[in-house]
Amino acid sequence: MIPRKVLDVSSAADAVRARNSAARLAAALGATAVEQARFLTALTTRLRDDIGRGGVELTLTVQPSGAEATLHVRAVAKPVPPERDHTPLWRLTLPCPCPPAGNPPRAAGPDDADEAILAADEQTAAILRRLDEAEQQLRLHREELHQTNQGVLALHAELEAAARTQRDLLEAERTARGQAEKGRRLLTFLADASAAVTASLDQEDILRCLPELLVPDYASQVDVWLFDEPADPNAAHSAAAAAAARSGRPRHAGPHPGAFPGIDDLPPSALSPDRPLLAVPLTAHRTSGVLTLTAPGDRFDEDTGVMLVELARRTAIALDNARRYEQHRDTAETLQRAQLTDLPRVEDLSLAARYLPATRGLNIGGDWYDAFPQPDGSLLTVVGDVTGHGLRAAVIMGQLRTALRAYAIEDDSPARILTRLHRMLRHQQPNLYATAVIARFRPGDPHVVWAAAGHPPAMVRAPDGTVRVLDARPGLMLGVPFPFEYEDHTAELPPGSTLVLYTDGLVERRADGIDPGIELLGRTLADLGRSEVEDLETCAESLLKPLLHDIERDDDVCLLLCRTLPPRSNEP
């Protein structure tokens, strides 16, 4: 049977008794204090409202449900109209953990008010305890939340610091890579530019390549002031260049300090008030000039400035090498030409000679020609080539020329003269070699006697224009460390014939060797007209032009032409 209790509530006292009865049922069913308080508060509020409307009939019902029970409160308005069903005004339910045991609690009487108040106080105390516990839990949760927030803030700060550190490291790495790339680029440019300025021994080439290298990336203008060059009346030099020339140290002039190590700053130059100037002395063995660079922008980069100072130093060395080379070359050429004697005037024989120094490198000295008469009236003609170049080769050439003339006084045989020169060179200059060809002419003799020591073959153009090569096997080069006896050869040389003696610089090219050049010389000699051959000066120019054709020469050239003349007729 379902426990049920019906109560008539018309006054406040009835409402108190109904509330007490509901409280006993809820307590008996094991409802929690909080649930009881929430349920009874709602019930009291409804009853207070219903008393003002005339009262209600309140039904308390306990509905079991397995191991639990539910307390139902049903309120019906009073008086109940006969024509209406008992439709409840409202319902309240309270789920409880325990089913009712035995009979339901009795209804509350008038004497239970004190007990109800005490029960209400107990419920209030229980609720307050729960509130205290909840407040304590809330306080703990708040403390935990605060600590958590502090931890989160600390973690956020650490993460932000780590991110900032990572950004700084990435920026530092990016900067380091940029500086490394910039340094690599500057070093690569310095190496390439150094190779360019040192590739030539011509001062004009060096000065010409500097603007090509530096403008516009590293300078907007390049000016080179060389002290040894004639002064240009229109040239104006900055105060920075003058200070660098006086002190021998670089100077920087500009509206902003350059901050270059070892470089003093000067006020802006009147020649370039808006852009800074970098004036670097060109110093090798001595200060020969000043290189002045105008910045491509509003200032010179520090690393670029250091690179430019180093490039100026290397340029100074290149210019000094070019100057020394020119001096050495001029000295060698002067000595060489001083030892080339004037050709003698001989009856029945016409002579012409050319000497052309090398145009590339220091390949001057060593080639020579000579022609001198003998006491018996014969004439010796010589063309020779000493290995090596420069002053030493020119000096050795002079010694060989002098020794050859001395030996020729005692013996006019070309072969025996070469044999004695070979012995002398082996003894005095064991590491130096030479080639030579000697031809002897006798008056009235239509033959020429000749001997060669490792020399290119002589050529003969006959009066009818045919050309033949005197290709008898030549002897060893002079100075080769083996004893050797040279042989004389004889060639027919009728009047009107031309003998051509030359050095390898005329016919030899690095890419082609010597044979194509000898063939070209033979064809050119055969193609000459009669008038060109009869005038040996014209003949010499006509032979040189197609073989050299204005090319850069790595070796000097000697050419000696000997033309036999018909005997003069004796007029009565």
Side-chain angles (χ1 to χ4, degrees), residues 327-336 339 355 362-368 385-401 424-434 478-479 556:
Q327 293 177 348
H328 199 111
R329 178 187 176 88
D330 293 343
T331 302
E333 185 174 354
T334 300
L335 178 61
Q336 179 83 0
Q339 297 186 92
Y355 170 74
L362 195 59
N363 298 336
I364 295 177
D367 288 21
W368 90 95
D385 184 3
V386 176
T387 58
H389 302 282
L391 285 175
R392 183 168 181 266
V395 170
I396 296 300
M397 180 272 289
Q399 294 176 358
L400 286 178
R401 173 181 171 275
M424 183 205 77
L425 202 58
R426 286 176 54 205
H427 176 68
Q428 295 185 359
Q429 301 289 341
N431 296 322
L432 193 138
Y433 312 105
L478 299 174
D556 43 3

Side-chain angles (χ1 to χ4, degrees), residues 467-478:
V467 175
R468 70 182 188 276
V469 178
L470 303 183
D471 55 357
R473 183 177 180 182
L476 294 177
M477 293 178 64
L478 299 174

Side-chain angles (χ1 to χ4, degrees), residues 34-57:
V34 175
E35 293 298 330
Q36 289 183 48
R38 186 178 293 113
F39 175 78
L40 294 176
T41 300
L43 176 62
T44 303
T45 302
R46 299 290 180 87
L47 292 177
R48 186 185 300 113
D49 294 339
D50 291 339
I51 292 174
R53 291 193 292 266
V56 293
E57 181 182 278

Side-chain angles (χ1 to χ4, degrees), residues 531-563:
S531 60
E532 292 178 296
V533 177
E534 289 178 350
D535 183 357
L536 288 187
E537 297 297 328
T538 303
C539 180
E541 295 301 325
S542 299
L543 290 176
L544 291 175
K545 186 174 182 180
L547 274 86
L548 302 180
H549 47 79
D550 299 327
I551 63 172
E552 291 287 330
R553 297 185 298 277
D554 296 325
D555 199 359
D556 43 3
V557 175
C558 267
L559 175 66
L560 180 60
L561 304 178
C562 310
R563 178 175 172 78

Side-chain angles (χ1 to χ4, degrees), residues 188-203:
T188 300
F189 172 79
L190 178 61
D192 294 341
S194 301
V197 299
T198 57
S200 175
L201 288 173
D202 185 272
Q203 178 174 287

